[in-house]
Amino acid sequence: MNAPVFTDLGLPTQPAVVFLHGVGGGRHGWAAQQAHVAALGWRSLAWDMPGYGDSAMVSPYDFAHLAQALWQMLDAAHIDQAVLVGHSMGAMVALQAWTQAPERISGLMLAASSPAFGHSDGDFQKQFLAQRLAPLEAGKTMGDIADKLIPTMAAPGGDAAHLIPAKLKSAHQSMSAVPPATYRAALHALVQFEQRAALPTLTVPVLCLAAAHDRTAPPAVMERMAQKIPGARYACLAGAGHLLHCEQPEAFNAELEQFLKDVKP
């Protein structure tokens, strides 16, 4: 299988940061972060997760195979070790990757995520899947889903509910472009995620970054996650929801910059 498609900024001699998007994301959603770390002297990669953009699907579509695809991408880019910055499902891929090859990870920034998917009982998972997949079953497009979902994931206020704020345009475009089959596969993988046991094993710098208005990965969940990771730092962005890197790019970048200072050899 070909390595996932990625945007690569910087020089091979620079330390590397890898950006991993969530269920409704894509590599272009990290443009503000890639520009910021480039100015700080870092090389950065932002991938289209398997099945997204021009990246080939993996089968079975699970976290073990997504993490393997990450190593494949780093091999293709000739990167031995990198800082992983994951948003939502992307942070879960980063945690999974730690369980496979910790020596290749120099730091983890886990944003708006959790170490496991909600309750472990099957009913909760089935309910979540049914709710998220219902629009597709009803014949809606991914654009229709983005119209409804994106505003509910952001912090309240500012724009009228039926409008997509300018700062969320890229998030809307990314979600609209996700192939329905990939969206289904990603959601089915998501509800199986469980890596709570990995948290105490983390031995690199870790930042758990929450958002005050995030209902998908509430601050309390992220704070508890940070408490279970040796030496991890917890921070929370005010005025942001689940799409924090799009909603508050300057504040997100400031936290990222501080974190990279902790990591840089």
Side-chain angles (χ1 to χ4, degrees):
M1 192 191 86
N2 294 330
V5 172
F6 57 94
T7 302
D8 185 359
L9 293 184
L11 302 169
T13 52
Q14 294 172 314
V17 185
V18 177
F19 293 99
L20 307 168
H21 64 79
V23 173
R27 63 191 164 102
H28 301 298
W30 292 109
Q33 284 70 44
Q34 285 199 279
H36 190 75
V37 300
L40 298 174
W42 289 75
R43 179 185 181 187
S44 66
L45 271 61
W47 79 346
D48 279 329
M49 192 158 62
Y52 289 73
D54 294 316
S55 295
M57 282 290 275
V58 292
S59 184
Y61 203 92
D62 57 24
F63 280 92
H65 286 81
L66 292 174
Q68 285 170 13
L70 171 61
W71 305 132
Q72 206 173 11
M73 179 183 79
L74 292 191
D75 290 344
H78 306 291
I79 293 172
D80 293 329
Q81 192 180 58
V83 175
L84 303 184
V85 177
H87 171 248
S88 194
M89 186 175 177
M92 295 174 174
V93 173
L95 269 181
Q96 182 81 32
W98 171 264
T99 68
Q100 291 182 356
E103 71 282 356
R104 300 195 69 173
I105 298 171
S106 52
L108 289 164
M109 182 171 170
L110 309 173
S113 192
S114 66
F117 180 84
H119 307 287
S120 56
D121 68 72
D123 287 343
F124 179 80
Q125 295 170 343
K126 285 174 194 164
Q127 189 180 4
F128 173 85
L129 281 174
Q131 188 181 17
R132 284 295 180 97
L133 293 175
L136 285 181
E137 309 295 353
K140 301 287 188 186
T141 66
M142 287 303 297
D144 296 330
I145 292 172
D147 289 343
K148 288 279 192 291
L149 206 52
I150 294 291
T152 70
M153 297 173 91
D159 300 72
H162 65 283
L163 296 176
I164 301 293
K167 62 191 173 185
L168 295 178
K169 279 286 198 296
S170 69
H172 184 274
Q173 288 167 352
S174 293
M175 181 170 263
S176 300
V178 178
T182 299
Y183 188 63
R184 287 176 191 272
L187 289 173
H188 279 281
L190 190 65
V191 299
Q192 302 297 326
F193 185 68
E194 171 58 81
Q195 281 297 349
R196 280 175 287 204
L199 301 182
T201 73
L202 294 170
T203 54
V204 291
V206 178
L207 170 61
C208 294
L209 185 63
H213 298 280
D214 190 351
R215 294 179 296 278
T216 306
V221 170
M222 295 217 67
E223 191 165 18
R224 281 199 301 274
M225 175 164 68
Q227 288 166 357
K228 289 170 183 169
I229 300 169
R233 188 163 71 83
Y234 166 78
C236 183
L237 296 190
H242 189 61
L243 304 171
L244 67 176
H245 61 302
C246 299
E247 298 175 67
Q248 299 282 351
E250 294 87 1
F252 186 98
N253 288 349
E255 290 289 353
L256 173 58
E257 181 172 345
Q258 180 57 51
F259 178 64
L260 291 178
K261 284 177 184 168
D262 298 338
V263 175
K264 198 156 191 177

